[in-house]
Amino acid sequence: MRVVVLTGAGVSAESGVPTFRDADGLWEGHRVEDVATPEAYEYQPSVVHKFYDARRAALADVEPNPAHVALARLERLLGDDLTLVTQNIDDLHERAGSGHVVHMHGELLSALCRGCRRRMPWSDVLHDYPPCPHCGVAELRPDVVWFGEIPYEMDRILEALTGADLFVSIGTSGMVYPAAGFVHQARLHGARTLELNLAPSEGTTLFHESRQGPAGTLVPAWVDEVAATLSGG
Ligand code: OAD
């Protein structure tokens, strides 16, 4: 059984990482367009740097929750037959034990050099414009995909969706493309589709099945079902 799982901010919500589309429409007090666009970075780089520096530092205060742990178990059950794609820029999947995570929107713990275009692990601040360890140019930016930029590893993701037997979307509002279109892609190629989300997403009617509740409860229960199926139970 080949499975593609897509996770969004809802999978990290119970760890204490705020989702993007809270009731006030702000992301940690900022409008998304003020901190998550290339234009924002051109006009106010220090605001953008300080915002992501704070998000990076905040990783130290959060821990994986049972949803992340269950998805790491799913990787052990399915091996290469699982493609785990996340829109999240935190490292909670990895800390829970997932070894192969496709971070389509980039990672907080990575920097991207605008000089030599290299991506590199990064755990420090960027607001003081450190030089790139590779080319020496002081043009390091957060390695996150902003609105208007192309997400990472789209070829690999589309290939996995094409061959999937099951596509599962967890904790995402289905409002941001291309991720919001994955359910459609998967269905086109014959996959069964399942949504696990606190509330019905924008695209909930596109799924064969939609379950509502917190990811920390729904995901372990679903992985138990997969384990039972694999063992013939
Ligand atoms: P959103 O904040 O748009 O949506 C989070 C979803 O998680 C909502 O549908 C909630 O109902 C659901 N949710 C909240 N708590 C949950 C819980 N405990 N268990 C299960 N579900 C829960 O976040 P994303 O869909 O991830 O992109 O946002 C997609 C992209 O928009 C982000 O990656 C980011 C953002 O702008 C970029 O920065 C490029």
Side-chain angles (χ1 to χ4, degrees):
M1 178 167 60
R2 284 165 301 177
V3 179
V4 176
V5 171
L6 170 70
T7 64
V11 86
S12 294
E14 288 156 80
S15 293
V17 181
T19 59
F20 293 89
R21 290 170 186 80
D22 283 334
D24 61 6
L26 299 179
W27 181 20
E28 301 259 320
H30 292 73
R31 296 187 310 157
V32 166
E33 57 269 35
D34 289 341
V35 290
T37 61
E39 294 80 10
Y41 187 65
E42 289 300 331
Y43 291 123
Q44 310 190 77
S46 66
V47 170
V48 175
H49 273 313
K50 283 181 180 156
F51 177 77
Y52 287 98
D53 285 350
R55 305 280 76 72
R56 195 178 301 108
L59 291 178
D61 302 326
V62 296
E63 295 289 336
N65 68 56
H68 299 105
V69 172
L71 290 171
R73 178 182 176 215
L74 187 68
E75 182 181 275
R76 293 194 295 278
L77 289 168
L78 294 175
D80 291 342
D81 286 337
L82 173 68
T83 302
L84 174 58
V85 182
T86 188
Q87 298 166 88
N88 299 343
I89 56 178
D90 65 52
D91 64 339
L92 293 176
H93 282 306
E94 284 86 352
R95 278 201 263 157
S98 288
H100 302 284
V101 186
V102 180
H103 279 273
M104 65 177 290
H105 289 167
E107 295 177 70
L108 279 171
L109 291 175
S110 178
L112 169 66
C113 178
R114 300 211 306 171
C116 67
R117 304 304 301 172
R118 281 193 179 87
R119 305 175 69 189
M120 62 207 81
W122 198 268
S123 52
D124 212 340
V125 296
L126 287 170
H127 73 256
D128 55 358
Y129 301 98
C132 170
H134 300 284
C135 72
V137 174
E139 282 283 0
L140 294 178
R141 56 162 271 189
D143 189 12
V144 297
V145 175
W146 289 324
F147 283 94
E149 297 181 325
I150 299 168
Y152 287 120
E153 303 202 58
M154 285 304 297
D155 289 349
R156 182 174 159 201
I157 296 168
L158 292 176
E159 191 185 322
L161 289 169
T162 302
D165 300 303
L166 175 64
F167 170 73
V168 186
S169 174
I170 305 172
T172 174
S173 59
M175 292 177 71
V176 176
Y177 283 82
F182 290 173
V183 57
H184 185 65
Q185 286 292 325
R187 278 190 82 140
L188 271 181
H189 292 95
R192 184 169 169 74
T193 55
L194 168 66
E195 171 174 81
L196 306 176
N197 210 49
L198 196 59
S201 70
E202 279 288 297
T204 193
T205 55
L206 296 170
F207 289 84
H208 290 105
E209 183 185 354
S210 183
R211 301 180 191 174
Q212 267 100 60
T217 306
L218 291 185
V219 180
W222 168 64
V223 173
D224 281 348
E225 289 171 26
V226 174
T229 304
L230 291 172
S231 65

